[in-house]
């Protein structure tokens, strides 16, 4: 079901400030920037080998990342596992009665994605993603 860690999401107040550490101090390469309005986030994607770090800044305070920052402050927000078949995996998780945020996959930064509820995974928000070039839905 899971091939690798696709990315780790980190919630930050200010992308440009965060890049001073992740890009300028650690020397990681920023390979993309993206804004997902319906999720209320803008993101910078940094390459680490075959995985990524996704820095997430909220575009509005009532977004998932905005509320997370208010409650918990900056830090690890979610972990994303890559799978070849996000839709098939979602059906399997439903059969196993795993608590989900998304009942259907949707277009996200990492491709076709869905979120599991953190109560399913011991307090860690988990995302599944099938990159668009692999997606056969
Ligand atoms: N990691 C771990 N726990 C989290 C969490 C996170 N990132 N975000 C919220 N929670 C926990 C809260 O601490 C709270 O726990 P308790 O019930 O024990 O207090 C519980 O989830 C509910 O939190 P809430 O603030 O009352 O509810 P929200 O309205 O924030 O909903 C969640 C929580 C997970 C359903 C919501 O954040 C969500 O839908 N997340 C998925 C979408 C997302 O994060 N998008 C941004 C990334 C965009 C991308 O990569 O494409």
């Amino acid at each position: 079901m899971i091939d690798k860690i696709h990315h780790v999401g980190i919630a930050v107040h200010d992308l440009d400030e965060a890049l001073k550490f992740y890009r300028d101090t650690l020397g990681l390469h920023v390979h993309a920037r993206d804004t997902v309005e319906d999720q209320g986030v803008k993101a910078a994607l940094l390459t680490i080998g075959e995985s990524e770090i996704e820095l997430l800044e909220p575009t509005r305070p009532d977004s998932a990342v905005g509320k997370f920052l208010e409650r918990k402050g900056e830090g690890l927000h979610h972990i994303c596992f890559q799978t070849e078949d996000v839709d098939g995996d979602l059906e399997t998780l439903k059969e196993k009665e795993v608590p989900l945020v998304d009942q259907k996959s949707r277009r996200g930064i990492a491709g076709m994605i869905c979120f599991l509820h953190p109560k399913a995974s011991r307090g860690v928000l988990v995302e599944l993603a099938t990159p668009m070039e692999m997606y056969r839905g």
Side-chain angles (χ1 to χ4, degrees):
M1 178 166 172
I2 291 166
D3 297 325
K4 66 170 195 176
I5 292 176
H6 183 278
H7 67 262
V8 171
I10 297 173
V12 302
H13 288 294
D14 184 323
L15 268 187
D16 292 317
E17 280 300 314
L19 284 171
K20 288 180 187 169
F21 175 73
Y22 286 98
R23 180 192 57 203
D24 302 340
T25 304
L26 293 186
L28 298 174
H29 173 63
V30 178
H31 64 268
R33 283 181 181 249
D34 201 358
T35 299
V36 185
E37 265 317 325
D38 68 324
Q39 290 290 297
V41 286
K42 57 178 182 174
L45 311 178
L46 299 106
T47 317
I48 296 202
E50 293 189 352
S51 298
E52 299 175 2
I53 284 183
E54 191 176 86
L55 299 176
L56 299 163
E57 177 191 318
T59 58
R60 44 176 206 271
D62 64 342
S63 62
V65 174
K67 287 199 281 185
F68 177 89
L69 279 172
E70 195 183 309
R71 272 176 87 150
K72 299 196 177 175
E74 291 185 309
L76 185 62
H77 181 261
H78 68 267
I79 185 164
C80 176
F81 298 125
Q82 180 170 309
T83 165
E84 279 181 21
D85 181 13
V86 65
D87 298 317
D89 291 347
L90 251 181
E91 292 312 311
T92 304
L93 292 169
K94 283 183 200 169
E95 282 165 18
K96 294 183 175 176
E97 299 183 354
V98 171
L100 303 170
V101 171
D102 298 299
Q103 299 298 318
K104 292 182 74 170
S105 67
R106 58 186 168 82
R107 186 71 191 253
I109 297 168
M112 291 304 286
I113 62 125
C114 68
F115 281 91
L116 281 52
H117 197 279
K119 68 186 175 197
S121 36
R122 306 281 161 166
V124 177
L125 180 59
V126 169
E127 177 182 3
L128 299 181
T130 302
M132 287 320 289
E133 61 273 18
M134 290 170 65
Y135 187 66
R136 293 183 197 89

